Amino acid sequence: MRLDELLDELQVRIDAVRGTRDRVHSLLEAVVSVGRELDLAQVLRRIVEAAALLVDAEYGALGVIGPDGRTLSQFLTVGLTEKEIAAIGPLPAGHGLLGEVIHHPEPLRLTDLGAHSSSYGFPAHHPPMRTFLGVPIRVREEVFGNLYLTDKRGGIDFDTEDETVISTLSVAAGVAIDNARLYEGSQRQQRWLRANAEITESLLSGSSRPAVLELIARRAQEITAARLADIAMPVTGIDGLVVEFAADAHGAERQGLVVPFAGTLAGTAHLTGKPVTAVQAWADECYPAEAQVQNGLGPAVAVPLGTAGGESRGVLLLARAAGEPAFGEGELEPLVAFAGQAALALELAERRRDAEQIALLEERDRIARDLHDLAIQRLFATGMTLQSAARLVEHEGAAERVGRAVDDLDETIKIIRSTIFGLRTKDRESGPGLRARAARAVGDAASTLGHPPRLNMEGLLDTDVPPQIADHVMAVLGELLSNAARHAQATRVGVTLKAGRGEIVLTVSDNGKGIPAQGRRSGLLNLDERAQSLGGSFTHETPDGGGTRLVWRAPLPTGS
């Protein structure tokens, strides 16, 4: 009997040694598997899957600590289905028991997590959990996040060996995360450099400003894996920034929005000239006016496009989907450099446009000078000669003809002098341009409409549109916005002002009740008469989705 007991004990120890060997092999396999990946998202997913497998946990999670060091910016889980995750609701932010490991980054092992003083309980539809093991993950002595494991299978508790295994895995995980971040950073840096080169090439090739703004937003959105990318620019006379381009599924609805300076990420970045981040901009109490960053989006960053006198020339706003990682310091540095290069490229394009305008004005001055110094003097001399010769002409009919020729020359001189005056004063009138006037009118309409209209402006509105036509455009715009506020009962109004291909086109659309069949149309007739007086047209139609679409157009003078 003693021999049997010894044999049984030996068998138990052999099984224990085999179990330890198998666990060591499993740990080595997990370390190799985690270290093999270079994509950070895949590394994090492998870490939490390997941890749950090593200690035979039913549920596992990896929480990434956000830039503030107090909350979680990302939360990956295993053991829960997508349906269960959706039923639970928003992912945890790092409070309660999860926050205990954040505030005290040491291994934490519990027999009953509900009995801990930091436990707040579970939200509705959350599966019950009892045992708990939490271990921090450090990357270069900095706590990157935490591993959370619950409910060891078989109903038994996590033991010291489990804690040791997960702690060992966390060390390997820290190395793997560091390698993945270094690789990701180098790849991202190359993509930023290519994007800067593409934007510079686009500007030098003569691309329009709207096309370059779109390119800047698209490339930033792709490189940062953002769902939303807006570029908002300051406009004279507007107390805020106007969204000139918006890249996402609902970009058309935000384009033209006036973003307040106060209470928004973009406004703060513009006024301070520094990048601003938020884990959830739409829910951050620091940015109560953040309307364009809507629910469903998570981490956001606003980066100024260059600075002038402490304020930026514009702002690039990026936002990721909820649950995605926050914008860290490693991402901000190349993003700020990209924004600076983009602002420099835009400034160079503006300087080139100014130089072209100056060259045009100088050419007009030269033409005016030549007309004055050469053409007018020669015409005047010719007129004097004809006047002198008229006294010597005895034939009455011939003398009368010479007199008419002198009068024609005098009238021609007056016309040329008027042309010279027009050349020298064109484009030098004081006052705001059509672009600023239109933006101000649309911004003022927000109070009567109850919501800010969308505004999209394209083309050289300040240089190609003469003041007389610009006045007509502003009168039409004011009438259409007033009609939308008084009669349309619309919840969405869009304004598009475009100059190009020899005409200016103003389009105002809304989702209101439309134009009544028997309603008064005197205002619309006036708008039509304005268009016809300039050789243009005015049309209105009802889109398939309802509402009204009104299009007013007028030709632009050639050579303007």
Side-chain angles (χ1 to χ4, degrees):
M1 291 178 65
R2 180 59 180 165
L3 180 60
D4 290 341
E5 290 176 359
L6 291 173
L7 289 174
D8 291 342
E9 184 179 351
L10 179 61
Q11 185 63 44
V12 169
R13 294 191 178 185
I14 292 174
D15 291 341
V17 171
R18 285 176 176 172
T20 303
R21 182 199 61 187
D22 293 342
R23 173 164 279 196
V24 170
H25 285 169
S26 298
L27 178 59
L28 291 175
E29 289 176 2
V31 169
V32 172
S33 174
V34 167
R36 188 184 295 121
E37 290 288 345
L38 286 175
D39 180 75
L40 183 58
Q42 290 296 325
V43 168
L44 298 180
R45 174 61 59 182
R46 294 236 179 178
I47 290 171
V48 66
E49 290 175 347
L53 184 64
L54 282 173
V55 296
D56 204 20
E58 186 172 354
Y59 304 105
L62 192 155
V64 179
I65 299 176
D68 59 3
R70 301 187 304 272
T71 58
L72 297 176
S73 63
Q74 192 178 3
F75 198 75
L76 293 82
T77 63
V78 296
L80 293 173
T81 65
E82 293 294 332
K83 186 177 180 180
E84 289 174 324
I85 294 174
I88 293 171
L91 296 174
H95 305 299
L97 187 58
L98 301 184
E100 183 70 20
V101 187
I102 296 176
H103 304 316
H104 305 91
E106 298 293 337
L108 177 64
R109 183 159 43 93
L110 302 172
T111 300
D112 184 2
L113 57 87
H116 195 275
S117 58
S118 298
S119 180
Y120 289 170
F122 298 112
H125 309 293
H126 195 289
M129 296 178 182
R130 189 181 65 85
T131 56
F132 176 85
L133 174 60
V135 175
I137 298 176
R138 287 182 169 82
V139 177
R140 298 190 178 186
E141 302 304 320
E142 177 187 348
V143 179
F144 173 84
N146 298 303
L147 275 170
Y148 305 107
L149 302 159
T150 61
D151 286 7
K152 188 177 178 71
R153 298 183 191 277
I156 58 178
D157 297 338
F158 293 107
D159 55 22
T160 306
E161 190 174 340
D162 293 326
E163 182 180 320
T164 302
V165 168
I166 297 302
S167 297
T168 304
L169 177 66
S170 69
V171 175
V175 176
I177 291 170
D178 192 28
N179 290 337
R181 290 203 299 188
L182 290 173
Y183 176 77
E184 193 176 76
S186 65
Q187 293 294 104
R188 190 187 304 115
Q189 186 67 30
Q190 291 182 12
R191 296 180 69 186
W192 284 125
L193 291 174
R194 287 196 296 267
N196 276 321
E198 185 179 1
I199 292 168
T200 303
E201 181 182 356
S202 177
L203 282 168
L204 293 178
S205 65
S207 297
S208 64
R209 185 172 180 271
V212 174
L213 290 178
E214 179 178 358
L215 183 61
I216 292 172
R218 296 286 186 195
R219 293 297 172 267
Q221 182 184 30
E222 293 169 4
I223 295 174
T224 60
R227 180 180 290 182
L228 175 148
D230 287 358
I231 292 184
M233 310 293 281
V235 176
T236 304
I238 298 295
D239 187 21
L241 301 169
V242 177
V243 178
E244 290 203 20
F245 181 78
D248 78 325
H250 304 286
E253 298 178 6
R254 288 196 319 282
Q255 200 155 315
L257 274 178
V258 178
V259 181
F261 288 135
T264 62
L265 278 166
T268 305
H270 171 73
L271 295 177
T272 61
K274 298 178 181 179
V276 183
T277 60
V279 176
Q280 284 185 328
W282 62 271
D284 196 317
E285 60 183 13
C286 296
Y287 309 104
E290 196 63 81
Q292 79 273 30
V293 181
Q294 300 167 359
N295 196 349
L297 295 173
V301 60
V303 182
L305 296 173
T307 55
E311 296 183 352
S312 71
R313 295 183 176 89
V315 175
L316 171 64
L317 175 70
L318 300 167
R320 288 175 173 150
E324 294 292 318
F327 292 88
E329 290 296 329
E331 289 182 288
L332 284 182
E333 185 175 349
L335 180 57
V336 170
F338 169 78
Q341 290 291 331
L344 179 60
L346 285 173
E347 185 175 356
L348 289 175
E350 291 174 0
R351 294 292 178 269
R352 184 179 64 180
R353 187 183 66 183
D354 292 343
E356 291 173 352
Q357 188 68 14
I358 290 173
L360 175 63
L361 295 175
E362 289 177 346
E363 180 64 13
R364 286 174 176 167
D365 280 344
R366 185 193 65 77
I367 294 172
R369 187 171 57 251
D370 290 347
L371 286 173
H372 182 273
D373 295 343
L374 300 176
I376 287 181
Q377 301 304 325
R378 295 191 65 176
L379 288 173
F380 185 76
T382 303
M384 294 290 291
T385 302
L386 287 175
Q387 271 188 325
S388 299
R391 301 190 188 97
L392 304 176
V393 177
E394 297 180 356
H395 190 279
E396 184 178 349
E400 183 181 352
R401 289 188 178 184
V402 171
R404 284 202 305 267
V406 171
D407 292 340
D408 289 343
L409 285 174
D410 187 49
E411 189 65 28
T412 301
I413 290 173
K414 291 180 180 178
I415 293 173
I416 293 176
R417 280 176 172 164
S418 176
T419 303
I420 292 172
F421 180 78
L423 286 172
R424 284 179 169 169
T425 58
K426 186 174 177 64
D427 298 327
R428 297 181 187 179
E429 295 85 354
S430 60
L434 178 56
R435 180 180 291 270
R437 294 171 66 188
R440 186 183 302 115
V442 170
D444 293 342
S447 59
T448 55
L449 287 168
H451 56 86
R454 302 190 311 273
L455 175 62
N456 180 29
M457 296 185 284
E458 299 181 24
L460 302 177
L461 298 171
D462 293 339
T463 56
D464 284 2
V465 184
Q468 299 85 353
I469 297 180
D471 291 339
H472 281 289
V473 171
M474 291 307 302
V476 173
L477 177 58
E479 177 69 16
L480 293 179
L481 289 175
S482 176
N483 288 342
R486 289 183 297 169
H487 308 302
Q489 297 179 7
T491 60
R492 187 174 67 250
V493 176
V495 177
T496 300
L497 186 58
K498 183 176 181 180
R501 297 186 179 181
E503 67 174 358
I504 183 166
V505 181
L506 170 64
T507 304
V508 177
S509 58
D510 62 64
N511 64 344
K513 62 180 183 179
I515 301 175
Q518 305 299 327
R520 293 181 57 190
R521 301 197 174 215
S522 57
L524 299 182
L525 289 175
N526 292 337
L527 300 182
D528 189 26
E529 290 175 1
R530 277 185 183 274
Q532 291 185 13
S533 68
L534 299 172
S537 63
F538 175 66
T539 60
H540 57 85
E541 59 186 30
T542 301
D544 295 337
T548 308
R549 185 172 183 268
L550 303 109
V551 182
W552 188 94
R553 62 180 72 227
L556 295 174
T558 57
S560 63

XYZ file of all heavy atoms in Angstrom, residues 328-387:
468
model
N -2.336 59.903 -30.289
C -1.240 60.011 -29.335
C -0.162 60.960 -29.809
O -0.199 61.503 -30.922
N 0.839 61.165 -28.952
C 1.933 62.080 -29.280
C 2.679 61.634 -30.519
O 3.130 62.457 -31.313
C 2.892 62.171 -28.084
C 2.316 62.895 -26.882
C 2.011 64.354 -27.171
O 2.717 64.953 -27.998
O 1.060 64.883 -26.587
N 2.823 60.304 -30.690
C 3.523 59.806 -31.863
C 2.831 60.149 -33.164
O 3.481 60.243 -34.222
N 1.511 60.331 -33.131
C 0.772 60.702 -34.335
C 0.699 62.213 -34.519
O 0.613 62.705 -35.650
C -0.648 60.140 -34.267
C -0.741 58.646 -34.420
C -2.179 58.168 -34.393
O -2.779 58.193 -33.311
O -2.701 57.795 -35.460
N 0.705 62.949 -33.424
C 0.529 64.399 -33.514
C 1.707 65.074 -34.205
O 1.515 66.000 -35.004
C 0.349 64.995 -32.117
C -1.013 64.785 -31.457
C -1.056 65.483 -30.107
C -2.123 65.315 -32.350
N 2.918 64.616 -33.917
C 4.089 65.293 -34.472
C 4.093 65.275 -36.002
O 4.213 66.343 -36.632
C 5.364 64.656 -33.912
C 6.629 65.380 -34.348
C 7.877 64.807 -33.699
O 7.733 63.993 -32.765
O 8.976 65.164 -34.125
N 3.954 64.103 -36.666
C 3.912 64.142 -38.133
C 2.663 64.822 -38.673
O 2.698 65.428 -39.750
C 3.951 62.661 -38.529
C 3.493 61.909 -37.327
C 3.928 62.719 -36.156
N 1.548 64.752 -37.928
C 0.319 65.406 -38.376
C 0.487 66.922 -38.372
O 0.058 67.612 -39.306
C -0.841 64.996 -37.478
C -2.217 65.580 -37.809
C -2.615 65.245 -39.234
C -3.263 65.051 -36.829
N 1.109 67.455 -37.323
C 1.366 68.893 -37.255
C 2.316 69.317 -38.371
O 2.124 70.363 -39.012
C 1.938 69.264 -35.873
C 2.429 70.705 -35.863
C 0.887 69.060 -34.791
N 3.337 68.496 -38.628
C 4.272 68.817 -39.717
C 3.552 68.808 -41.066
O 3.786 69.671 -41.917
C 5.418 67.814 -39.723
N 2.670 67.826 -41.263
C 1.898 67.754 -42.511
C 1.015 68.988 -42.671
O 0.940 69.580 -43.754
C 1.041 66.494 -42.504
C 0.017 66.434 -43.600
C 0.380 66.109 -44.889
C -1.318 66.708 -43.334
C -0.564 66.054 -45.899
C -2.276 66.665 -44.328
C -1.895 66.328 -45.620
N 0.331 69.384 -41.591
C -0.534 70.557 -41.647
C 0.274 71.816 -41.955
O -0.166 72.676 -42.721
C -1.285 70.718 -40.325
N 1.477 71.901 -41.372
C 2.325 73.051 -41.654
C 2.760 73.107 -43.102
O 2.754 74.167 -43.740
N 3.134 71.944 -43.658
C 3.527 71.886 -45.065
C 2.347 72.209 -45.971
O 2.494 72.897 -46.981
C 4.075 70.494 -45.392
C 5.421 70.181 -44.767
C 6.544 71.009 -45.387
O 6.488 71.397 -46.532
N 7.575 71.279 -44.595
N 1.166 71.697 -45.609
C -0.030 71.978 -46.406
C -0.345 73.472 -46.378
O -0.701 74.055 -47.410
C -1.210 71.168 -45.871
N -0.213 74.095 -45.198
C -0.472 75.536 -45.098
C 0.532 76.323 -45.928
O 0.173 77.315 -46.593
C -0.399 75.966 -43.637
N 1.791 75.879 -45.909
C 2.818 76.557 -46.710
C 2.508 76.435 -48.201
O 2.649 77.404 -48.961
C 4.187 75.955 -46.402
C 5.384 76.544 -47.175
C 5.525 78.027 -46.888
C 6.666 75.793 -46.813
N 2.063 75.253 -48.607
C 1.715 75.058 -50.016
C 0.543 75.950 -50.412
O 0.537 76.560 -51.491
C 1.376 73.587 -50.268
N -0.468 76.045 -49.523
C -1.611 76.920 -49.809
C -1.182 78.384 -49.882
O -1.654 79.146 -50.737
C -2.676 76.747 -48.733
C -3.516 75.466 -48.799
C -4.400 75.359 -47.565
C -4.371 75.444 -50.057
N -0.279 78.773 -48.989
C 0.185 80.156 -48.999
C 0.957 80.460 -50.278
O 0.798 81.530 -50.873
C 1.060 80.421 -47.779
C 1.489 81.875 -47.660
C 2.257 82.153 -46.377
O 2.388 81.227 -45.560
O 2.717 83.284 -46.214
N 1.779 79.501 -50.718
C 2.505 79.695 -51.970
C 1.545 79.835 -53.140
O 1.750 80.652 -54.046
C 3.458 78.520 -52.211
C 4.676 78.446 -51.282
C 5.464 77.170 -51.544
C 5.574 79.663 -51.482
N 0.469 79.024 -53.114
C -0.533 79.120 -54.182
C -1.211 80.486 -54.159
O -1.451 81.091 -55.211
C -1.564 78.013 -54.034
N -1.526 80.988 -52.934
C -2.142 82.308 -52.839
C -1.180 83.394 -53.313
O -1.591 84.335 -54.006
C -2.563 82.569 -51.398
C -3.728 81.698 -50.932
C -4.033 81.874 -49.461
O -3.325 82.692 -48.818
O -4.958 81.215 -48.956
N 0.096 83.259 -52.956
C 1.088 84.243 -53.409
C 1.215 84.203 -54.928
O 1.376 85.246 -55.569
C 2.444 83.965 -52.758
C 2.459 84.166 -51.261
C 2.294 85.638 -50.910
N 2.249 85.836 -49.462
C 1.160 85.846 -48.738
N -0.015 85.667 -49.334
N 1.190 86.045 -47.448
N 1.152 83.013 -55.499
C 1.231 82.914 -56.956
C 0.020 83.573 -57.606
O 0.140 84.289 -58.604
C 1.315 81.445 -57.387
C 1.505 81.271 -58.887
C 1.600 79.819 -59.259
N 0.363 79.110 -58.964
C 0.192 77.811 -59.196
N 1.163 77.083 -59.683
N -0.972 77.245 -58.907
N -1.165 83.359 -57.005
C -2.363 83.995 -57.533
C -2.273 85.510 -57.402
O -2.658 86.251 -58.314
C -3.594 83.479 -56.786
C -4.912 83.967 -57.371
C -6.078 83.475 -56.552
N -6.079 84.063 -55.218
C -6.961 83.763 -54.278
N -7.909 82.869 -54.506
N -6.894 84.340 -53.090
N -1.728 85.984 -56.255
C -1.555 87.422 -56.087
C -0.580 87.972 -57.117
O -0.784 89.077 -57.664
C -1.055 87.729 -54.676
C -2.103 87.432 -53.612
O -3.294 87.306 -53.981
O -1.731 87.304 -52.433
N 0.501 87.208 -57.364
C 1.484 87.654 -58.357
C 0.858 87.731 -59.749
O 1.134 88.671 -60.516
C 2.677 86.704 -58.371
N 0.013 86.754 -60.073
C -0.665 86.780 -61.367
C -1.609 87.974 -61.453
O -1.719 88.617 -62.505
C -1.440 85.487 -61.574
C -0.542 84.265 -61.763
C -1.334 82.969 -61.801
O -2.557 83.009 -61.529
O -0.733 81.922 -62.101
N -2.291 88.276 -60.335
C -3.195 89.426 -60.319
C -2.408 90.721 -60.470
O -2.830 91.643 -61.191
C -3.990 89.426 -59.018
C -5.095 90.465 -58.957
C -6.221 90.171 -59.918
O -6.317 89.068 -60.449
N -7.053 91.167 -60.170
N -1.257 90.808 -59.777
C -0.423 92.012 -59.892
C 0.085 92.163 -61.326
O 0.106 93.274 -61.885
C 0.743 91.941 -58.896
C 0.216 92.085 -57.467
C 1.772 93.016 -59.187
C 1.261 91.858 -56.397
N 0.503 91.031 -61.920
C 0.965 91.079 -63.311
C -0.142 91.557 -64.242
O 0.100 92.322 -65.189
C 1.468 89.702 -63.737
N -1.392 91.094 -63.954
C -2.524 91.519 -64.772
C -2.754 93.018 -64.625
O -2.969 93.730 -65.627
C -3.773 90.750 -64.353
C -5.088 91.143 -65.029
C -5.021 90.891 -66.524
C -6.251 90.374 -64.417
N -2.701 93.504 -63.380
C -2.899 94.933 -63.156
C -1.782 95.755 -63.783
O -2.027 96.840 -64.344
C -2.986 95.210 -61.659
C -4.196 94.612 -60.923
C -4.082 94.863 -59.424
C -5.491 95.185 -61.465
N -0.548 95.267 -63.692
C 0.566 95.977 -64.314
C 0.411 96.020 -65.824
O 0.735 97.031 -66.471
C 1.891 95.310 -63.928
C 2.267 95.525 -62.465
C 3.546 94.799 -62.106
O 3.983 93.931 -62.908
O 4.115 95.088 -61.030
N -0.084 94.917 -66.390
C -0.302 94.897 -67.832
C -1.392 95.896 -68.230
O -1.284 96.587 -69.247
C -0.693 93.488 -68.275
C -0.960 93.330 -69.757
C 0.267 93.579 -70.617
O 1.399 93.641 -70.081
O 0.099 93.702 -71.846
N -2.432 95.989 -67.389
C -3.477 96.968 -67.668
C -2.930 98.388 -67.566
O -3.288 99.268 -68.371
C -4.633 96.774 -66.693
C -5.476 95.542 -66.996
C -6.517 95.328 -65.918
N -7.390 94.198 -66.240
C -8.216 93.623 -65.391
N -8.280 94.082 -64.162
N -8.978 92.617 -65.760
N -2.066 98.610 -66.577
C -1.442 99.932 -66.453
C -0.596 100.254 -67.678
O -0.590 101.398 -68.166
C -0.584 99.998 -65.187
C -1.414 100.234 -63.935
O -2.579 100.653 -64.084
O -0.916 99.978 -62.829
N 0.139 99.262 -68.155
C 0.979 99.488 -69.351
C 0.124 99.830 -70.561
O 0.434 100.757 -71.334
C 1.824 98.238 -69.628
C 2.820 98.426 -70.785
C 3.395 97.100 -71.214
N 2.377 96.214 -71.770
C 1.872 96.342 -73.011
N 2.287 97.312 -73.796
N 0.964 95.499 -73.437
N -0.986 99.047 -70.705
C -1.872 99.321 -71.842
C -2.461 100.724 -71.730
O -2.527 101.477 -72.716
C -2.987 98.261 -71.910
C -2.380 96.889 -72.221
C -4.030 98.624 -72.945
C -3.378 95.754 -72.123
N -2.897 101.062 -70.502
C -3.458 102.397 -70.303
C -2.417 103.479 -70.592
O -2.730 104.512 -71.206
C -3.973 102.533 -68.872
N -1.200 103.278 -70.148
C -0.136 104.264 -70.384
C 0.167 104.414 -71.870
O 0.326 105.525 -72.389
C 1.114 103.825 -69.607
C 2.239 104.844 -69.637
C 3.344 104.453 -68.666
N 3.867 103.124 -68.943
C 3.651 102.068 -68.167
N 2.883 102.192 -67.088
N 4.184 100.894 -68.458
N 0.241 103.275 -72.559
C 0.511 103.330 -73.998
C -0.622 104.014 -74.751
O -0.392 104.802 -75.679
C 0.711 101.919 -74.551
C 2.020 101.296 -74.071
O 2.861 102.055 -73.529
O 2.204 100.068 -74.228
N -1.874 103.700 -74.333
C -3.006 104.365 -74.981
C -2.951 105.873 -74.767
O -3.238 106.668 -75.680
C -4.323 103.804 -74.429
C -4.734 102.414 -74.892
C -5.964 101.953 -74.125
C -5.025 102.402 -76.393
N -2.572 106.266 -73.522
C -2.532 107.694 -73.215
C -1.368 108.393 -73.907
O -1.518 109.465 -74.509
C -2.432 107.892 -71.701
C -2.428 109.324 -71.276
N -1.276 110.075 -71.201
C -3.451 110.164 -70.940
C -1.570 111.298 -70.826
N -2.900 111.383 -70.647
N -0.190 107.765 -73.836
C 1.005 108.436 -74.345
C 1.151 108.340 -75.860
O 1.783 109.209 -76.477
C 2.252 107.840 -73.684
C 2.265 108.113 -72.176
O 1.517 109.014 -71.739
O 3.005 107.410 -71.463
N 0.626 107.298 -76.450
C 0.832 107.088 -77.883
C -0.449 107.317 -78.680
O -0.519 108.209 -79.537
C 1.363 105.674 -78.130
C 2.701 105.342 -77.441
C 3.067 103.895 -77.672
C 3.808 106.264 -77.934
N -1.480 106.500 -78.389
C -2.680 106.550 -79.227
C -3.384 107.899 -79.132
O -3.726 108.522 -80.148
C -3.626 105.422 -78.833
N -3.605 108.392 -77.894
C -4.362 109.632 -77.731
C -3.597 110.811 -78.339
O -4.185 111.671 -79.016
C -4.666 109.884 -76.248
C -5.737 108.910 -75.765
C -5.141 111.314 -76.011
C -6.144 109.084 -74.324
N -2.285 110.863 -78.111
C -1.501 111.971 -78.655
C -1.528 111.983 -80.174
O -1.665 113.041 -80.799
C -0.051 111.881 -78.132
C 0.086 111.930 -76.613
C -0.568 113.169 -76.025
O -0.556 114.247 -76.637
N -1.182 113.023 -74.844
N -1.440 110.809 -80.780
C -1.456 110.754 -82.241
C -2.842 111.112 -82.770
O -2.972 111.823 -83.792
C -1.055 109.364 -82.720
C 0.396 109.006 -82.365
C 0.871 107.756 -83.066
N 0.926 107.958 -84.501
C 1.376 107.044 -85.358
N 1.801 105.870 -84.893
N 1.400 107.283 -86.650
N -3.893 110.618 -82.092
C -5.235 110.983 -82.528
C -5.468 112.488 -82.373
O -6.107 113.130 -83.233
C -6.273 110.207 -81.703
C -6.397 108.717 -82.004
C -7.334 108.056 -80.997
C -6.922 108.495 -83.425
N -4.965 113.058 -81.269
C -5.125 114.486 -81.051
C -4.394 115.282 -82.125
O -4.919 116.274 -82.672
C -4.596 114.852 -79.657
C -4.820 116.279 -79.285
C -6.081 116.725 -78.908
C -3.785 117.217 -79.329
C -6.304 118.052 -78.555
C -4.010 118.542 -78.987
C -5.266 118.960 -78.594
N -3.176 114.847 -82.466
C -2.406 115.527 -83.523
C -3.106 115.415 -84.871
O -3.160 116.376 -85.654
C -1.005 114.930 -83.595
N -3.639 114.237 -85.143
C -4.373 114.056 -86.396
C -5.590 114.967 -86.443
O -5.913 115.569 -87.475
C -4.804 112.592 -86.543
O -3.649 111.756 -86.480
C -5.540 112.362 -87.858
N -6.319 115.082 -85.327
C -7.483 115.973 -85.264
C -7.085 117.419 -85.502
O -7.791 118.159 -86.208
N -5.966 117.882 -84.918
C -5.510 119.243 -85.118
C -5.155 119.487 -86.578
O -5.460 120.555 -87.153
C -4.285 119.512 -84.222
C -4.584 119.492 -82.734
S -5.584 120.910 -82.214
C -4.413 122.242 -82.418
N -4.528 118.488 -87.181
C -4.161 118.615 -88.598
C -5.402 118.736 -89.471
O -5.465 119.570 -90.385
C -3.324 117.408 -89.032
O -2.155 117.320 -88.194
C -2.898 117.526 -90.484
N -6.390 117.890 -89.186
C -7.619 117.956 -89.986
C -8.344 119.282 -89.792
O -8.933 119.834 -90.732
C -8.543 116.795 -89.597
C -8.107 115.406 -90.074
C -9.043 114.341 -89.503
C -8.119 115.338 -91.602
N -8.333 119.796 -88.542
C -8.963 121.091 -88.298
C -8.286 122.196 -89.110
O -8.950 123.079 -89.684
C -8.898 121.433 -86.805
C -10.089 120.916 -86.018
C -10.073 121.446 -84.605
O -9.004 121.630 -84.008
N -11.244 121.683 -84.057
